């Protein structure tokens, strides 16, 4: 998707050249580019503040049809996310203008925070992530993503070929997850979603297995079966295994794959149900992460486990008060059929831990509305008994701007999950702390301390879209997990 050019931006024939400007500092060494930015600053309608922009047409000495100058704010406050967002907005603008080519000139600025990457990385990432339209269902595709995005350095010094190919691959992973999440539930019922994952994985060196409802019955995964009981399409569990030739560590990733969450017999309200096609975003992120890690040749063994079900009400559906025996042999009283994510994860977590004996387990799930109440719709909650593990995830969150916040797992809250009739019940007896009690429920089904749960209910989906994403699935979690696994 990215094409590096060693030419100066002024020599690149393109529909639109993109330059960046800070409010208080010139960023380009190249004389022509610096002059254009300086001219932009003379117009009162452009001040270099973030989100400000100016378009010039018919500039002499430059081969581009037009030049877009994008504001980055104050130089001393510049960070990766400002660059990502500005590049993303530029690409979205180009797509909106129905242009067919674009070239971005990366300013070679050192970011104020020494821990930050050089500017080229985030610029390319924002551009790649924005270059996507979920248009499968449109008869007329009026806005089309660019076939390629040309990137050049200041004064023609582009030395980031490897970085460009790596970033393209990572962003393709995010876009794959977005496509799955935005897809309507009628086209991703469990059998089809499972097949779609297997098809994508089989193009890489990944072993893919699908466990069906008969296998589940035999091995005792009655929690998954109970959630799927109301749907005419039976549950599936996809297991992907990426195994490099030599490895030291095995990591299990588990992703919640509820292709539609109606709430079941505890049917959701009209406003709560509308975007519930996104309730498989954890599974989408895990599948896309394993596939991308294989493409990049990561050094650790990664097993992706995705329990996939549709949570529907019907005459066969599980009722509140029903008791099921999980894979772990613990019994669960299903007090609320809308708390289905933790049920399918319980079986998937204990199955994966027993079978693979991994060094680490990470699950990702659109688990609770309560996590959105706590952290809003942009930040995921991280829960782990191992402080080093959660700190590692939070570090990756900072680098990728897939934001995460460390949350507590207080032992004494476990009593809120006590059932009078079974070993545990699937919802807390009080309203408060719902994201925490959900995480504590999961903790009952993993033995290792090296486990981390990431609640992505907020950031997995965006109704309006953002600087480098359209409306719909955000693909949240793919870049986060890839960044984390790179260090394992
Ligand atoms: N899939 C939902 C959580 C969710 C809510 C994700 C909003 C994304 C946006 C989950 O299965 C659910 O329904 N959780 C209930 C739990 C409750 C019944 C204890 C919730 O959060 O209300
Ligand atoms: Zn639910
Ligand atoms: Zn759900």
């Amino acid at each position: 998707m990215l094409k590096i050019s060693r030419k100066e931006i002024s020599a690149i024939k393109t529909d639109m050249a993109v330059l960046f400007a800070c409010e208080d500092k010139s960023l380009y060494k190249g004389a022509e580019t610096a002059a254009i930015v300086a001219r932009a600053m003379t117009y009162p309608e452009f001040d270099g503040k973030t989100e400000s922009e100016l378009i010039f047409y018919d500039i002499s000495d430059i081969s581009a049809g037009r030049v877009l100058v994008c504001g980055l704010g104050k130089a001393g406050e510049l960070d990766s996310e400002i660059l990502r967002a500005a590049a993303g907005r530029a690409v979205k603008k180009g797509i909106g203008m129905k242009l067919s080519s674009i070239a971005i000139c990366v300013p070679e600025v050192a970011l104020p925070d020494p821990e930050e990457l050089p500017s080229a990385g985030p610029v390319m990432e924002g551009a790649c992530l924005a270059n996507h339209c979920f248009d499968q269902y449109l008869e007329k595709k009026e806005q089309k993503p660019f076939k390629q995005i040309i990137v050049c350095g200041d004064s023609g010094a582009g030395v980031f070929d490897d970085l460009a190919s790596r970033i393209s691959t990572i962003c393709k992973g995010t876009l794959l997850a977005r496509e799955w999440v935005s897809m309507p539930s009628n086209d991703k019922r469990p059998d089809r979603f499972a097949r779609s994952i297997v098809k994508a994985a089989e193009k890489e060196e990944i072993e893919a297995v699908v466990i069906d409802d008969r296998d589940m019955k035999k091995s005792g995964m009655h929690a998954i079966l109970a959630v799927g009981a109301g749907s005419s399409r039976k549950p599936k569990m996809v297991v992907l295994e990426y195994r490099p030739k030599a490895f030291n560590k095995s990591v299990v990733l588990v992703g919640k794959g509820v292709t539609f969450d109606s709430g079941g017999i505890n049917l959701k309200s009209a406003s709560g149900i509308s975007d519930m096609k996104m309730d498989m975003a954890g599974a989408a992120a895990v599948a896309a992460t394993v596939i991308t890690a294989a493409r990049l040749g990561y050094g650790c063994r990664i097993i992706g486990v995705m329990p996939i079900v549709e949570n529907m009400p019907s005459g066969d559906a599980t009722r509140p008060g029903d008791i099921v025996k999980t894979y772990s042999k613990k019994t669960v009283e299903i007090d609320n059929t809308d708390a289905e994510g933790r049920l399918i994860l319980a079986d998937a977590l204990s199955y994966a831990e027993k079978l693979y004996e991994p060094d680490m387990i990470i699950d990702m799930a659109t688990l609770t509305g309560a996590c959105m109440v706590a952290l809003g719709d942009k930040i995921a909650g991280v829960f782990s008994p191992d402080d080093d593990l959660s700190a590692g995830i939070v570090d990756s969150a900072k680098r990728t701007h897939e934001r995460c916040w460390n949350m507590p797992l207080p032992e004494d809250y476990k009593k809120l999950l006590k059932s009078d009739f079974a070993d545990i019940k699937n919802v807390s007896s009080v309203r408060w702390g719902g994201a925490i009690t959900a995480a504590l429920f999961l903790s009952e089904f993993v033995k290792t301390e090296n486990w981390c749960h990431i609640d992505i209910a907020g950031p997995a989906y965006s109704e309006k879209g953002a600087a480098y994403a359209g409306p719909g699935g955000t693909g949240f979690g793919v870049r986060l997990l890839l960044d984390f696994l790179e260090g394992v």
Side-chain angles (χ1 to χ4, degrees):
M1 199 193 287
L2 295 167
K3 184 175 181 289
I4 300 300
S5 169
R6 275 169 221 292
K7 285 187 189 158
E8 294 207 16
I9 188 83
S10 55
I12 298 175
K13 283 206 178 65
T14 176
D15 285 348
M16 183 157 81
V18 179
L19 303 178
F20 299 98
C22 278
E23 286 171 55
D24 50 355
K25 193 180 164 198
S26 175
L27 300 176
Y28 292 104
K29 295 190 203 89
E32 273 148 351
T33 37
I36 295 170
V37 172
R39 208 175 119 200
M41 297 296 280
T42 66
Y43 290 94
E45 66 266 39
F46 182 78
D47 51 14
K49 289 208 169 86
T50 46
E51 294 187 42
S52 66
E53 55 188 28
L54 189 73
I55 300 185
F56 288 111
Y57 290 89
D58 299 323
I59 300 190
S60 52
D61 304 329
I62 190 156
S63 313
R66 47 184 90 48
V67 179
L68 171 68
V69 186
C70 306
L72 297 175
K74 292 200 172 67
E77 291 167 12
L78 195 56
D79 63 22
S80 293
E81 182 59 10
I82 291 173
L83 288 164
R84 231 179 251 122
R89 272 192 292 269
V91 168
K92 275 177 101 175
K93 178 138 195 123
I95 295 173
M97 290 162 74
K98 300 182 189 154
L99 307 181
S100 24
S101 62
I102 190 166
I104 303 176
C105 182
V106 178
E108 275 154 52
V109 283
L111 299 178
D113 181 349
E115 290 209 349
E116 291 262 25
L117 296 164
S119 54
V123 167
M124 292 194 276
E125 207 169 41
C128 258
L129 291 169
N131 196 33
H132 171 251
C133 306
F134 182 74
D135 56 11
Q136 286 183 50
Y137 292 85
L138 297 181
E139 190 193 356
K140 284 200 191 82
K141 303 182 203 316
E142 287 186 340
Q143 300 194 356
K144 290 193 192 108
F146 293 104
K147 291 210 172 69
Q148 61 178 24
I149 296 168
I150 299 172
V151 179
C152 69
D154 194 4
S155 40
V159 283
F160 20 77
D161 298 73
D162 290 350
L163 190 61
S165 113
R166 201 184 152 70
I167 288 174
S168 292
T169 305
I170 292 171
C171 294
K172 255 171 79 182
T174 300
L175 303 188
L176 174 64
R178 279 187 196 170
E179 288 278 325
W180 273 324
V181 176
S182 295
M183 181 176 279
S185 297
N186 56 329
D187 277 345
K188 60 175 177 199
R189 298 187 73 188
D191 43 350
R192 275 182 76 185
F193 181 38
R195 255 185 286 139
S196 172
I197 293 175
V198 171
K199 199 170 154 219
E202 278 178 349
K203 294 188 187 129
E204 314 304 324
E205 295 222 345
I206 293 172
E207 204 188 295
V209 178
V210 180
I211 297 171
D212 66 15
D213 56 315
R214 282 178 307 243
D215 306 329
M216 289 176 187
K217 244 172 235 148
K218 267 187 235 151
S219 59
M221 297 186 195
H222 297 290
I224 299 180
L225 288 165
V227 174
S231 168
S232 59
R233 304 299 162 93
K234 293 303 155 209
K236 306 276 177 208
M237 188 153 84
V238 179
V239 181
L240 301 181
E241 182 173 353
Y242 162 65
R243 200 186 171 98
K245 287 203 173 65
F247 61 88
N248 290 323
K249 294 263 166 73
S250 293
V251 182
V252 161
L253 304 178
V254 179
K256 170 177 171 182
V258 177
T259 63
F260 187 71
D261 182 10
S262 70
I265 296 295
N266 292 99
L267 196 64
K268 285 184 182 290
S269 66
S271 65
I273 210 167
S274 63
D275 291 328
M276 278 303 135
K277 65 172 183 180
M278 58 75 92
D279 211 21
M280 35 55 75
V286 165
T289 299
V290 181
I291 290 166
T292 309
R295 286 178 183 156
L296 293 171
Y298 270 27
C300 56
R301 175 186 178 214
I302 309 170
I303 300 122
V305 180
M306 288 137 279
I308 299 173
V309 296
E310 189 178 50
N311 187 21
M312 297 290 269
S314 84
D316 291 323
T318 296
R319 294 148 291 254
D322 283 1
I323 295 178
V324 291
K325 190 178 238 163
T326 60
Y327 180 84
S328 73
K329 302 280 188 309
K330 270 190 190 148
T331 57
V332 181
E333 180 190 358
I334 301 176
D335 212 8
N336 189 318
T337 59
D338 196 12
E340 83 299 337
R342 61 196 79 180
L343 292 169
I344 68 169
L345 292 174
D347 274 348
L349 285 165
S350 48
Y351 170 80
E353 181 169 36
K354 186 164 175 211
L355 199 70
Y356 297 101
E357 297 177 337
D359 296 288
M360 196 187 295
I361 307 179
I362 301 171
D363 77 74
M364 194 168 262
T366 48
L367 205 63
T368 64
C371 201
M372 296 176 75
V373 174
L375 300 174
D377 65 352
K378 304 272 189 303
I379 303 176
V382 175
F383 302 81
S384 177
D386 179 343
D387 291 343
D388 291 337
L389 178 49
S390 49
I393 295 288
V394 171
D395 278 348
S396 292
K398 284 187 193 132
R399 281 193 290 273
T400 56
H401 203 75
E402 292 200 323
R403 284 177 286 174
C404 290
W405 192 258
N406 194 20
M407 302 281 277
L409 278 174
E411 223 14 71
D412 57 323
Y413 283 26
K414 276 190 181 164
K415 63 172 174 287
L416 301 171
L417 296 168
K418 272 215 161 84
S419 161
D420 291 331
F421 310 108
D423 297 329
I424 190 169
K425 60 180 181 172
N426 76 331
V427 286
S428 164
S429 47
V430 302
R431 254 180 80 191
W432 319 115
I436 296 173
T437 45
L440 285 169
F441 179 89
L442 298 181
S443 76
E444 289 293 312
F445 297 89
V446 267
K447 295 198 175 90
T448 176
E449 294 260 296
N450 288 325
W451 159 71
C452 177
H453 158 61
I454 309 176
D455 192 333
I456 60 167
Y461 195 83
S462 165
E463 263 173 59
K464 289 205 194 86
Y468 46 86
T474 60
F476 184 98
V478 177
R479 290 188 301 116
L480 175 79
L481 289 174
L482 286 168
D483 184 272
F484 178 78
L485 292 170
E486 200 185 349
V488 171

